[in-house]
Amino acid sequence: MKITKIETIICNARMRNWIFVKVLTDQPGLFGWGEATLEWHTRAVVGAIEDISPLLIGEDPRRIEYLWQMMYRQHFWHGNGVVRGTAISGIDLALWDILGKLKDTPCHQLWGGPVRDYVRLYCHLGGGKMEDYYETKPDDAKRFGELAQEVVEAGFTAFKSMPVPETMPIEGLKPIRYAEACVEAMRDAVGENVDIMVDCHARPSPRMGMLFAKALEPYGLYFFEEPCWPEVYEDIAAIQKSVSTPIATGERLIGIHAFRDLLACGGCSIIQPDITHCGGLSEARRIASLAEAYRVAMAPHNPQGPVSTAASLELGFATPSYIICEAVHQDVPWRKDIVSWGFEVEKTGRIVRPNTKPGLGVEIDEKEVAKHPFKQELPQRSYYADGAIGDW
Ligand SMILES: [Mg+2]
């Protein structure tokens, strides 16, 4: 059996261009789906996949680990940058999909069978970046409370929010009080039986991140995400050691070595590798094993398209430390039109039962995808109050 072709198919989904990867074989009808979505870098990833493809054409798609090593180690530059890491990830997902289809079994069965009955989903509160506190509107906190109520009424028992505003490296009490008011409003709206997550998008400096973490500690967050730049593990570790709130990070780390360094310094309680960036399911499974040694939980980053979600769920059903799956449910209304999948989603409680279809259990409708061709992503810019550049 041989790989004959690797295609990329782009589907514009507002904020992101989803990049689906299709690995074809010389067996009639046998191909695999992967995803390599990297917002604002779509053409670079498509080019990286084109660059890697000659290494794989003619190779046996069942030799997944051998091919992963080939993609990561050949051509001198290792695959630990985000563009190449994303390209490798997309192909790796498709190879696992092929193997599952060949064996006529879901991927999680290939990895030892299901370790749980269901995977819990969490959603985003919506709205992405909320209002700048520099232009605080008196109703911001109230709006957070209303949005929180809405997602709970939609069946979710956990959600993620972004009430921490962007701040200069050091600021006074105003942004802290803003974040506190918003989180308090959400907690008041949903009570203590719903889990609230706060994502800082790594915008604060280490000191501001610590101040926000301490201020929000009394609200019993499920986790507090990316409280400062993700590359500086010691700074994240200092925040984790200063609060009881579980700190989550890792969506921008590529490869097992980055996670080794993060875990070794006690940086967090939850790792969030992105399966479409970190090196695919092959590397995510290694990272999960490494995290097991530290008894650190896993909640993969997953705001992209449906193949990414399927991969995250397959991993979740085979990984003991996996706690929850990120689910985007409000990005585009036609999400369900382009994909069919083998997962059963229970709206009440928002949980997912195991995939019953082979491989990743997803099929992409290429005719529907063609209705949403590539569009340049809108440039996103972030500024401090004085006009200096902040972090998006
Ligand atoms: Mg995040």
Side-chain angles (χ1 to χ4, degrees):
M1 184 185 305
K2 289 187 171 102
I3 296 171
T4 53
K5 197 175 180 192
I6 300 176
E7 296 177 352
T8 48
I9 299 160
I10 298 173
C11 181
N12 180 265
R14 282 175 52 204
M15 181 180 162
R16 294 177 170 84
N17 286 297
W18 294 337
I19 303 174
F20 298 124
V21 182
K22 188 177 185 182
V23 175
L24 297 105
T25 74
D26 60 357
Q27 289 221 346
L30 181 63
F31 58 85
W33 285 114
E35 184 173 339
T37 301
L38 186 65
E39 55 274 18
W40 294 296
H41 297 84
T42 301
R43 285 166 292 223
V45 171
V46 169
I49 290 171
E50 277 178 36
D51 287 340
I52 291 170
S53 292
L55 290 168
L56 305 183
I57 302 301
E59 295 285 347
D60 185 338
R62 296 168 295 188
R63 300 182 72 185
I64 299 175
E65 185 56 40
Y66 172 83
L67 295 179
W68 193 94
Q69 297 287 328
M70 178 92 77
M71 291 190 284
Y72 187 87
R73 297 165 71 167
Q74 297 300 303
H75 289 172
F76 185 71
W77 296 101
H78 281 174
N80 54 3
V82 69
V83 171
R84 179 102 169 271
T86 302
I88 291 172
S89 298
I91 295 169
D92 179 81
L93 264 56
L95 295 177
W96 281 109
D97 191 36
I98 288 172
L99 188 62
K101 286 173 175 168
L102 198 62
K103 305 285 184 192
D104 194 27
T105 193
C107 284
H108 69 266
Q109 292 287 1
L110 299 173
W111 305 323
V115 296
R116 52 179 47 85
D117 298 331
Y118 65 85
V119 165
R120 187 184 182 204
L121 299 178
Y122 76 83
C123 70
H124 290 240
L125 211 51
K129 192 179 177 191
M130 294 297 288
E131 295 297 334
D132 251 327
Y133 88 100
Y134 293 126
E135 299 170 30
T136 301
K137 295 178 179 62
D139 284 347
D140 275 8
K142 191 172 157 227
R143 182 70 186 133
F144 271 100
E146 289 166 354
L147 287 169
Q149 235 162 2
E150 281 171 24
V151 298
V152 171
E153 280 161 14
F156 290 98
T157 59
F159 64 85
K160 188 148 83 184
S161 60
M162 295 183 67
V164 170
E166 57 191 345
T167 47
M168 295 176 75
I170 295 295
E171 292 200 23
L173 266 178
K174 190 181 175 190
I176 305 288
R177 294 289 182 245
Y178 175 91
E180 273 180 328
C182 295
V183 174
E184 186 179 28
M186 290 190 285
R187 182 56 81 202
D188 287 347
V190 302
E192 295 200 347
N193 291 333
V194 171
D195 288 323
I196 301 173
M197 288 152 264
V198 168
D199 187 356
C200 300
H201 247 224
R203 290 177 184 139
S205 67
R207 185 53 54 179
M208 290 305 295
M210 187 177 287
L211 291 171
F212 282 119
K214 279 186 172 288
L216 300 182
E217 192 174 15
Y219 299 98
L221 299 178
Y222 185 64
F223 62 64
F224 188 63
E225 180 174 330
E226 282 200 313
C228 60
W229 282 4
E231 306 89 347
V232 189
Y233 310 135
E234 292 80 5
D235 290 333
I236 303 170
I239 294 170
Q240 178 60 99
K241 285 163 189 166
S242 77
V243 292
S244 56
T245 308
I247 301 296
T249 190
E251 68 185 61
R252 303 184 218 197
L253 302 185
I254 312 297
I256 196 171
H257 306 94
F259 284 90
R260 175 197 63 193
D261 295 346
L262 170 69
L263 291 162
C265 68
C268 62
S269 301
I270 298 127
I271 52 164
Q272 301 176 292
D274 189 311
I275 297 166
T276 68
H277 306 323
C278 75
L281 284 160
S282 296
E283 191 75 334
R285 295 186 69 236
R286 283 190 277 273
I287 292 165
S289 297
L290 180 67
E292 283 278 356
Y294 292 87
R295 207 72 174 90
V296 162
M298 185 183 222
H301 181 240
N302 174 49
Q304 297 97 337
V307 183
S308 174
T309 300
S312 185
L313 289 167
E314 283 301 298
L315 186 73
F317 280 108
T319 305
S321 61
Y322 189 104
I323 52 169
I324 199 161
C325 179
E326 180 171 10
V328 176
H329 71 304
Q330 292 174 319
D331 52 354
V332 284
W334 42 262
R335 191 177 246 260
K336 287 196 180 83
D337 298 342
I338 64 149
V339 65
S340 62
W341 63 1
F343 298 95
E344 183 193 335
V345 182
E346 294 182 12
K347 196 163 181 181
T348 307
R350 293 284 184 168
I351 58 171
V352 179
R353 300 287 174 184
N355 166 36
T356 52
K357 289 186 178 171
L360 298 177
V362 287
E363 285 305 331
I364 301 296
D365 186 330
E366 293 182 55
K367 279 190 189 147
E368 285 295 321
V369 168
K371 294 179 184 172
H372 310 284
F374 171 85
K375 275 189 204 157
Q376 179 62 52
E377 297 94 335
L378 292 174
Q380 302 287 354
R381 298 190 177 90
S382 188
Y383 302 98
Y384 298 142
D386 63 1
I389 300 294
D391 290 280
W392 170 247

